[in-house]
Amino acid sequence: MTLYVRRKSFFNHCLKISKKNEVHEGGRWLQMCRSKTSAPKNFCDYESMRRTYNIRVPQRFNFAKDVLEQWETKEKKGQRSSLPALWWVNDSGEEVRWSFEELGFHSRRLANVLHQECSLERGDRVFLILPRVPEWWLVNVACLRTGTVLIPGTSQLTARDICHRLQASGAKCVITDETLAPLLDTVASDCPSISTKLLLSHRAMHGWGNLSELMGKVSDDHVCMDTRSDEAMTIFFTSGTTGSPKMTQHSHCSYGLGLTVNGRYWLDLTEQDVFWNTSDTGWAKSAWSSVFAPWIQGACVFVHHMPRFDTSTVLKTLSSYPITTFCTAPTAYRMLVQDDISRFMFKALEHCLCAGEPINPEVMWKWKELTGLDIYEGYGQTETVLIAGTFKGMKIKPGSFGKASPGYDVQVVDEDGSVLPRGQEGDLGIRVKPDRPFSLFTEYTVVKAFVVLTADYKSRDHKELIQELQTHVKTVTAPYKYPRKIEFVDHLPKTVSGKIRRVELRKKEWGQQTSKQIWK
């Protein structure tokens, strides 16, 4: 079977102001620049990468404890490079550099806020909408440490979008800034599951706890939750391009271990690398490339907080900081090559990548002409890690996103799931039987009920019945588990032995998308 595919006061001690052009003119980082090379650092070639890929999934795994704390220990022993774990800058010249030790210090405090001040327990859901600010990374790690389930959202969400996500997920805690807090307040009364609202701001707001103030009150002593590998870790809502947004749930291992493919092979990162990914914090690509993949490899995550994408700012940043690896959307590359790149020199840049949409071959050629660097394309979905991509050492073919990544058996299949001959067009399929890849999402957590009415209820008003059934479920189980959708049907599809064929119900709900995505 296959699946288709108040911050300044609190952080004052670690906030540094960069002088204008200090890096570019002073050249104090030039010694970190290395010769440009397209040779892979973590593998020999594609075939050997496929052969040697072998990740054992332990019964219990937590990224904060088993990865981040290990880098923190190496750092303390002098066994890791002097690069920060997180390097954040903005247009005002402010700069934050955290080592893994500092990242651990702040995230343990935030974990205590979630557990002690907000009374959140393991498995509770946290809805997060923040732009590219350091606290976004702290919330990510704090949720890992507490075993709470993080639900990131983009700042572009409307009130209706937010209400849907809060009601569907049953989130108990929301975290945002003063820009979006009023929008959340407009829908809070319709979301009874919310018990805590945390605000990132230097001002007080009625009904909201101040995140920075609360972090200043708690200890930095926190013991990381001992989570199972298959335990729910995060939920992303799909974009909803083919229907209503679906809750896509990932486990601690599917991202925490699964994204090794991205970090070690596609991004080809080491602890000597400074990696800049421009993805919005509300999408899965940000978890991929701004949290898990680089930190699995001990690399430095670089962030430039820009109000909007600006080509001159991006090009100046690439030339002013020792960024070795850069990943952005094809649309962004198209904008960059239209600027005057000749004004800049990218002394440290070695590896460029893109994802999210197909890249125009002309853009790739122009970028290489101007920078001397190829653009390596990657393809994946919210439900997966990297499905396929162009890897270092591989010939880049215009219009192709490369070959299957390690860990997935990817084939081109028809609508019935049959593998097609070489050269024939079809859909991508990932084999999930007999051995389901651990790096796939756990499930879609949309709750829908199909109900067969008895004769006594067939004449009842359907809207009234739906409300009555939803209220009943909320009283007998966890409130967030109630069915958001209820459809009345004449009968349920069953096997000859009388078991309900849930696969048929899923097909009925999701339409032909399911048949295109599942390969048996």
Side-chain angles (χ1 to χ4, degrees):
M1 191 175 185
T2 304
L3 171 71
Y4 280 76
V5 175
R6 175 167 45 150
R7 197 180 72 240
K8 285 188 181 179
S9 60
F10 184 73
F11 297 125
N12 189 50
H13 67 282
C14 59
L15 185 67
K16 300 181 181 179
I17 308 299
S18 296
K19 295 179 182 178
K20 209 169 188 179
N21 298 327
E22 175 189 16
V23 178
H24 188 65
E25 294 178 1
R28 61 189 174 93
W29 288 328
L30 294 182
Q31 69 275 13
M32 298 172 65
C33 302
R34 296 169 288 176
S35 300
K36 288 181 171 60
T37 174
S38 61
K41 295 174 286 190
N42 292 313
F43 57 97
C44 295
D45 52 42
Y46 177 76
E47 295 304 327
S48 67
M49 174 182 68
R50 294 280 297 182
R51 286 195 307 270
T52 59
Y53 174 79
N54 182 27
I55 294 181
R56 295 177 180 269
V57 180
Q59 185 176 3
R60 312 194 79 80
F61 177 80
N62 187 289
F63 188 80
K65 180 182 67 175
D66 298 315
V67 177
L68 299 182
E69 288 187 0
Q70 298 308 307
W71 284 115
E72 183 178 344
T73 299
K74 288 184 177 181
E75 205 171 60
K76 290 176 180 177
K77 293 180 178 179
Q79 297 174 352
R80 181 188 171 270
S81 77
S82 59
L83 287 169
L86 181 70
W87 193 341
W88 178 93
V89 301
N90 67 7
D91 287 347
S92 300
E94 296 175 328
E95 182 173 335
V96 171
R97 287 190 249 175
W98 284 337
S99 63
F100 279 104
E101 183 178 4
E102 289 168 317
L103 179 69
F105 171 83
H106 296 307
S107 63
R108 285 191 287 271
R109 283 195 161 188
L110 184 45
N112 282 328
V113 169
L114 296 179
H115 181 60
Q116 298 171 10
E117 302 294 325
C118 302
S119 301
L120 296 181
E121 300 294 339
R122 181 177 181 168
D124 288 342
R125 296 172 174 183
V126 178
F127 185 59
L128 170 68
I129 308 183
L130 283 177
R132 299 177 189 90
V133 291
E135 291 82 358
W136 184 84
W137 279 263
L138 292 186
V139 175
N140 272 262
V141 181
C143 285
L144 290 168
R145 296 191 63 86
T146 55
T148 50
V149 181
L150 180 66
I151 308 173
T154 172
S155 57
Q156 298 173 359
L157 294 175
T158 65
R160 183 179 178 181
D161 294 330
I162 292 171
C163 187
H164 168 68
R165 281 156 175 75
L166 292 174
Q167 290 180 343
S169 66
K172 287 191 174 183
C173 176
V174 295
I175 304 175
T176 192
D177 58 15
E178 58 185 61
T179 303
L180 285 167
L183 194 62
L184 277 154
D185 278 336
T186 64
V187 302
S189 60
D190 296 323
C191 307
S193 64
I194 298 174
S195 59
T196 304
K197 297 184 295 182
L198 297 179
L199 182 71
L200 178 63
S201 174
H202 64 277
R203 297 186 300 131
M205 187 175 289
H206 178 70
W208 291 79
N210 188 284
L211 184 62
S212 299
E213 288 182 359
L214 290 172
M215 287 179 67
K217 294 178 181 179
V218 296
S219 166
D220 65 316
D221 184 18
H222 181 270
V223 177
C224 188
M225 189 68 69
D226 184 25
T227 53
R228 301 189 316 275
S229 290
D230 61 356
E231 198 169 324
M233 182 197 74
T234 190
I235 293 173
F236 281 95
F237 279 79
T238 59
S239 59
T241 53
T242 59
S244 297
K246 301 187 288 291
M247 289 195 296
T248 306
Q249 180 175 293
H250 275 275
S251 67
H252 282 269
C253 73
S254 65
Y255 267 7
L257 289 172
L259 284 164
T260 299
V261 164
N262 297 47
R264 185 178 299 167
Y265 301 120
W266 185 53
L267 299 175
D268 195 33
L269 295 171
T270 71
E271 60 187 85
Q272 301 293 333
D273 284 302
V274 179
F275 174 47
W276 185 16
N277 165 57
T278 67
S279 299
D280 183 276
T281 52
W283 302 112
K285 180 61 167 63
S286 199
W288 278 28
S289 298
S290 296
V291 180
F292 296 100
W295 282 345
I296 285 171
Q297 296 299 106
C300 170
V301 171
F302 183 89
V303 187
H304 190 136
H305 178 36
M306 298 177 286
R308 61 181 179 82
F309 189 89
D310 178 76
T311 57
S312 293
T313 302
V314 172
L315 294 171
K316 184 177 179 180
T317 301
L318 286 171
S319 66
S320 300
Y321 292 88
I323 298 163
T324 62
T325 311
F326 178 60
C327 185
T328 194
T331 299
Y333 279 111
R334 186 169 67 247
M335 295 167 65
L336 290 171
V337 297
Q338 292 172 355
D339 204 319
D340 183 10
I341 296 184
S342 63
R343 297 178 294 149
F344 304 93
M345 289 188 66
F346 310 131
K347 297 182 178 70
L349 193 60
E350 295 179 353
H351 192 26
C352 299
L353 309 101
C354 72
E357 58 182 322
I359 188 166
N360 189 305
E362 286 76 18
V363 173
M364 297 179 72
W365 297 330
K366 186 66 174 177
W367 181 260
K368 184 166 186 178
E369 177 188 331
L370 295 169
T371 68
L373 297 166
D374 287 309
I375 298 175
Y376 293 79
E377 193 169 0
Y379 171 71
Q381 295 180 331
T382 308
E383 295 88 344
T384 68
V385 297
L386 186 76
I387 295 174
T390 47
F391 300 85
K392 283 185 177 180
M394 186 182 292
K395 182 180 179 181
I396 297 177
K397 300 178 182 179
S400 169
F401 54 57
K403 297 183 179 181
S405 66
Y408 286 150
D409 179 0
V410 182
Q411 301 290 341
V412 178
V413 300
D414 61 20
E415 291 186 355
D416 297 322
S418 300
V419 179
L420 292 169
R422 185 182 181 91
Q424 192 167 332
E425 186 176 301
D427 296 310
L428 280 186
I430 302 173
R431 187 182 296 278
V432 296
K433 279 189 176 182
D435 299 313
R436 187 181 191 277
F438 72 90
S439 53
L440 289 177
F441 76 120
T442 308
E443 61 182 1
Y444 291 124
T445 56
V446 175
V447 182
K448 175 171 181 175
F450 291 89
V451 179
V452 178
L453 296 174
T454 63
D456 295 337
Y457 287 90
K458 284 186 176 180
S459 61
R460 289 274 302 274
D461 180 78
H462 281 194
K463 289 185 178 180
E464 187 180 292
L465 269 176
I466 288 172
Q467 188 173 9
E468 189 176 324
L469 286 167
Q470 288 174 330
T471 301
H472 171 71
V473 175
K474 289 177 184 179
T475 61
V476 298
T477 187
Y480 71 84
K481 293 182 179 180
Y482 83 91
R484 274 66 180 179
K485 296 180 179 181
I486 294 178
E487 182 178 338
F488 299 109
V489 295
D490 294 329
H491 65 276
L492 296 173
K494 295 182 179 181
T495 64
V496 291
S497 60
K499 293 181 179 180
I500 296 173
R501 287 182 52 81
R502 289 177 173 82
V503 65
E504 296 299 328
L505 296 176
R506 285 194 291 269
K507 283 183 180 181
K508 179 178 176 63
E509 174 63 10
W510 304 121
Q512 293 304 308
Q513 182 181 349
T514 300
S515 63
K516 289 181 179 181
Q517 292 183 337
I518 301 297
W519 164 34
K520 298 180 180 181

